[in-house]
Amino acid sequence: MAPHTTLGPRAAITGVHAWVPPHVVTNQDLTRYIDTTDEWIYTRSGIRERRWLNDDTLATSDMAVEAVRGLLIKKNLQPTDIDLLICCTATPDMLFPATANIITDKVGAVNAVGYDLSAACSGFLYGLSTATAFIESGRFRRIVVVGADKMTSILNLEDRATAFLFGDGAGAVLVEPNTEGLGVMDFLLKSDGSGRNYLYQKGGGSLNPASHRSVDAREHYVHQEGKTVFKFAVTGMADVAAEIMERNGLTADDIAWLVPHQANKRIIDATRDRAGLPESKVMVNIDRYGNTTNATIPLCLWEWEKQLHPGDNLILAAFGGGFTWGSIWLKWAYETTN
Ligand code: UT7
């Protein structure tokens, strides 16, 4: 994939908002379900606690709606102002219709086209890259990219290899044209389907539709071969972040923030080391939210929003199921005043 260029306006994030469920589940709480300790989980992953939606009547779209409504209020926009809503998720409300359609209906975005994007933990970066292309082409002017996952809906609380890793949450960004040279400067996306058997949800699709057998075999839960995924993730995420910096002539001094997908603190540290960045330039909140899959990066941007300034160089990076991975270099486009 060649470095990205555009002659027209750039696509800039002009607002961010997020929502996490209020119910906090600590590592200690998890010892009720699995044979584990707070020390093991924190040392191996960097996670202390996560949020669970804990309500069978609520789904991924409900969390996304909270994030999108908050974003519109912050930006003083009406739902009818949105042209396109891309929902990046691995846990859609249903296989179809798209969760994006449910979100646009619930928020009243009647003028918006909506669709879902499936790229596991890299979904938000794929979604932001897609929005970038639409903004640069002039086809849409106001795009919401929302990353949302109710990971507890596919979490096997008897599997100690995955039960501690994931949490629920949603984050949304507004993407608009910018004529001052700010916004997405380059993106680099990668995928390798030969990794598909290491991190997946086997049941529920056309290959293994829901049946008594599939439920008994626990095929509707997330399955991960942690060690293998770790091995690919630790090099994949570090390599792609380093590659986007190198091909754009960026050094560590040029970077204000690394915004990594929050899957494991050890993977984040490897990416930071490879980019030559100090810990003070890396957004980390995995300790409080765990891995919220498509929501991790917008959750970081939301929490750090007040510390971001126009022109700041941000490197976003992710690795996830598929395998999918990628990185985005963007120049932050606004100052937060309130
Ligand atoms: O976001 C999408 C991409 N996903 C990732 O990037 C995640 C990648 N993988 C990982 O982050 C790590 O593999 C984990 C954090 C999931 C696991 O860490 P690990 O260092 O790879 O542990 P492991 O699976 O190799 O297990 C080490 C030991 C095993 O015991 P033995 O065989 O050495 O005796 C496990 O049985 O730890 C044991 N173990 C546990 N012990 C306490 C596994 N899970 C637990 C647990 N509590 N929850």
Side-chain angles (χ1 to χ4, degrees), residues 35-36 40 44 121 160 164-165 199 224 226-227 229-230 233 261 263-264 266-267 291 319-320:
D35 177 18
T36 192
W40 189 94
R44 304 313 293 164
C121 292
R160 73 172 184 162
F164 66 93
L165 275 175
L199 176 51
Q224 174 173 252
K227 255 193 198 326
V229 177
F230 184 90
H261 170 55
N264 186 315
R266 291 182 289 147
I267 299 173
N291 182 350
F319 187 96

Side-chain angles (χ1 to χ4, degrees), residues 267-322:
I267 299 173
I268 294 171
D269 288 344
T271 306
R272 173 180 60 73
D273 272 353
R274 180 77 195 280
L277 292 165
E279 284 196 356
S280 58
K281 286 186 174 185
V282 186
M283 298 186 191
V284 178
N285 58 15
I286 189 172
D287 50 324
R288 283 170 295 123
Y289 302 128
N291 182 350
T292 54
T293 304
N294 283 273
T296 58
I297 288 177
L299 270 173
C300 283
L301 294 174
W302 171 59
E303 291 205 321
W304 269 264
E305 185 187 21
K306 289 192 173 70
Q307 296 180 55
L308 302 176
H309 308 292
D312 279 358
N313 287 309
L314 271 59
I315 298 291
L316 284 46
F319 187 96

Side-chain angles (χ1 to χ4, degrees), residues 53 55-56 58-60 63 91 148-154 168-169:
L53 191 53
D55 184 336
D56 289 343
L58 298 178
T60 293
M63 296 190 293
T91 51
D149 273 300
K150 184 182 176 183
M151 291 305 292
T152 51
S153 66
I154 57 168
D168 300 331

